[in-house]
Amino acid sequence: MSELENNSVLVLTIDNQISEIARMTVWLDKELRKFNATPEMLFNFDLCANEVADNIISYAYPNGGEHVVTLRLEVDSNKITLEFEDDGIPFNFLEATDHVRPENLEKAKIGGLGIYLTKHYMDECEYIRRDDKNILKIITYLSSTSDVSDNEK
Amino acid sequence: MDINKEQLNDDIIKINLSGRMDVGGVGEIEAEFSTIASTADMSIIVDMSAVPYMSSIGIRALLINAKAVNRRGQKYALLTPQSDVKNVLEVSGIDQLITICGDIDEAISKVSS
């Protein structure tokens, strides 16, 4: 399931199946709790990881086929970083069309909402395309008063 | 997720949802959720108090549901969402489209015309 990479990065690979999101959710919750993540951080990463993974699995592979999405979780003294790497079609998360707050119920659309929520709930998102892969990092900074500590050390 | 419905009076049905409104959870209830909204010619209160988590797929389900009820000329309200879920609704702007109520009496009053 998860393993240590470079001593400090936890890695999970999931298949491009929607059913894999549940396994990712359990993994992420378990690993973040080891670092004493606050309930707010747990919720925020749970939400944003679900949105990103759903987006990749639903849209990155228009031709289908079996693919692997790699997640890397890194917690250091000042931030939590969750990276998603996929070999799907190029998709710059940061340039995606944002959700527009709807005027009324009939006009309300759902497109782009997951991306909008991720940008809102995370402090920072970074995207690069490298070696034919999409690499997206979602980052939350830890305040100096936070009780999150690196229990691995 | 689990779903059940209660008839509150001649005009109002309360739908009780429980569990995580994520992609898996919504998949378990969306057929019944939309059946209730599209067949009962009544106003609907959705009790959210046992839903600890909601992603955009949950918002999508609520919007589809509320639109169906709205098109019939009936009213729709959400009852006592937990704070994290309420925050997601507010960030999305859905709180401006669907009435969110803090207690059952308020919800009944809002959906009664």
Side-chain angles (χ1 to χ4, degrees):
Chain A
M1 298 286 264
S2 62
E3 60 191 60
L4 282 169
E5 181 182 83
N6 301 330
N7 299 319
S8 61
V9 180
L10 294 154
V11 180
L12 176 78
T13 56
I14 59 173
D15 299 330
N16 59 324
Q17 301 290 330
I18 287 292
S19 60
E20 287 280 82
I21 291 178
R23 189 164 69 85
M24 175 199 75
T25 299
V26 170
W27 171 80
L28 187 58
D29 185 77
K30 186 187 77 177
E31 298 302 347
L32 285 173
R33 282 178 193 276
K34 290 180 187 168
F35 298 101
N36 300 324
T38 62
E40 181 186 6
M41 288 173 195
L42 292 171
F43 182 87
N44 291 355
F45 272 95
D46 188 358
L47 176 66
C48 299
N50 266 257
E51 300 295 357
V52 173
D54 192 358
N55 206 59
I56 292 169
I57 293 167
S58 299
Y59 302 112
Y61 308 108
N63 297 321
E66 291 179 12
H67 297 268
V68 170
V69 181
T70 302
L71 285 77
R72 295 185 181 89
L73 175 67
E74 183 170 21
V75 181
D76 63 29
S77 58
N78 71 332
K79 66 181 188 293
I80 301 173
T81 304
L82 181 62
E83 179 185 290
F84 293 79
E85 181 186 291
D86 68 78
D87 62 351
I89 56 173
F91 178 76
N92 187 337
F93 190 88
L94 304 181
E95 291 176 356
T97 309
D98 259 347
H99 163 73
V100 177
R101 286 169 72 97
E103 299 167 34
N104 63 53
L105 199 50
E106 282 309 307
K107 288 185 183 169
K109 290 191 172 59
I110 208 68
L113 181 57
I115 292 168
Y116 178 83
L117 290 174
T118 303
K119 289 176 181 170
H120 175 88
Y121 280 94
M122 288 289 131
D123 292 325
E124 202 172 310
C125 301
E126 296 174 6
Y127 170 83
I128 54 167
R129 179 82 180 170
R130 186 173 66 207
D131 299 334
D132 292 330
K133 290 181 173 170
N134 296 303
I135 297 168
L136 175 68
K137 290 181 181 182
I138 61 174
I139 300 163
T140 290
Y141 288 96
L142 307 174
S143 65
S144 55
T145 55
S146 169
D147 61 353
V148 172
S149 56
D150 187 347
N151 286 352
E152 299 289 317
K153 286 177 183 167
Chain B
M1 286 191 75
D2 285 317
I3 180 168
N4 63 65
K5 63 176 179 178
E6 296 170 47
Q7 184 99 31
L8 292 187
N9 60 35
D10 289 347
D11 306 310
I12 305 171
I13 286 178
K14 180 156 86 81
I15 299 176
N16 303 308
L17 298 179
S18 62
R20 285 169 59 93
M21 283 189 90
D22 57 12
V23 65
V26 169
E28 290 164 0
I29 57 115
E30 64 186 341
E32 188 168 352
F33 197 38
S34 63
T35 298
I36 296 170
S38 58
T39 54
D41 192 15
M42 295 187 189
S43 288
I44 287 178
I45 295 169
V46 182
D47 188 336
M48 301 287 290
S49 57
V51 175
Y53 172 95
M54 185 169 59
S55 63
S56 61
I57 195 92
I59 289 182
R60 179 173 172 274
L62 290 176
L63 273 178
I64 291 169
N65 210 252
K67 279 187 189 187
V69 174
N70 190 50
R71 282 186 190 133
R72 278 206 320 271
Q74 299 285 4
K75 293 184 178 162
Y76 195 88
L78 301 181
L79 176 62
T80 55
Q82 295 183 19
S83 62
D84 286 334
V85 169
K86 190 175 182 197
N87 193 251
V88 173
L89 292 166
E90 289 168 351
V91 171
S92 310
I94 302 308
D95 60 321
Q96 303 300 310
L97 310 179
I98 301 177
T99 306
I100 299 176
C101 300
D103 64 61
I104 186 67
D105 292 336
E106 182 192 356
I108 289 172
S109 149
K110 291 276 187 189
V111 301
S112 301
S113 43

